[in-house]
Amino acid sequence: MTNGKTGMNVDTKLVRQLAELLDETGLTEIEVEDEGRKIRVARQISGVVAAAPVAAVAAAPAAPAAAPAAAPAQADLKSHPGAVKSPMVGTVYLSSDPSAPPFVTEGATVSAGDTLLIVEAMKVMNPIQAPKSGKVVKICVANEQPVEYDQPLVVIE
């Protein structure tokens, strides 16, 4: 496709392929450069997601010692054998509606198949169920928090 104003030749097939790659991988942005041309495809999941990285970047210079300490804890949770990880990018809800109690609390005992929380992705509410019975030792997310694919949500022992 040629843009009459700039004369730029855009490979729409490549743009579509990159957009599909975003959907398949759960990424929010991808950029490729070839023969002096650069194509960037990005999508915004929600206003909260766009604001979260800015806040994290601004907080990092203010407390450089705190950021490295938090990173290993998150990495430890990700490799924990009882970690229940997000199967998608979305927003976490700890209860079925704002006035309802949370599905689970730390210290609660759950059975395999019990709903732990909900991840909303593209206006679809996806219940995240306990893969095994046990005790909820840690809830790793807050209500209405944006989450990424494979991010630890809950730890069950």
Side-chain angles (χ1 to χ4, degrees):
M1 170 190 283
T2 302
N3 182 336
K5 293 180 182 177
T6 63
M8 181 178 195
N9 190 13
V10 178
D11 185 354
T12 56
K13 184 177 179 182
L14 176 60
V15 172
R16 283 194 177 97
Q17 289 173 338
L18 293 173
E20 289 172 6
L21 185 60
L22 287 179
D23 289 337
E24 292 172 7
T25 61
L27 295 171
T28 56
E29 180 177 326
I30 190 167
E31 184 174 321
V32 294
E33 189 170 349
D34 183 29
E35 299 177 353
R37 292 187 309 174
K38 190 183 291 187
I39 298 176
R40 179 177 168 266
V41 178
R43 64 179 167 158
Q44 184 175 8
I45 301 298
S46 72
V48 176
V49 173
V54 174
V57 171
Q74 185 72 2
D76 291 342
L77 289 176
K78 195 168 187 174
S79 63
H80 191 285
V84 178
K85 299 174 188 172
S86 180
M88 65 197 72
V89 173
T91 302
V92 168
Y93 294 99
L94 300 178
S95 61
S96 57
D97 67 66
S99 62
F103 291 109
V104 295
T105 56
E106 288 185 4
T109 302
V110 295
S111 298
D114 286 353
T115 299
L116 301 172
L117 47 83
I118 294 172
V119 175
E120 176 195 5
M122 298 180 68
K123 305 291 182 197
V124 176
M125 300 297 181
N126 302 284
I128 306 302
Q129 298 175 335
K132 64 180 183 177
S133 297
K135 180 179 177 182
V136 176
V137 294
K138 177 117 178 102
I139 298 175
C140 309
V141 292
N143 193 44
E144 298 183 12
Q145 174 184 331
V147 293
E148 296 292 327
Y149 172 77
D150 210 31
Q151 178 177 340
L153 302 170
V154 177
V155 177
I156 300 173
E157 288 184 345

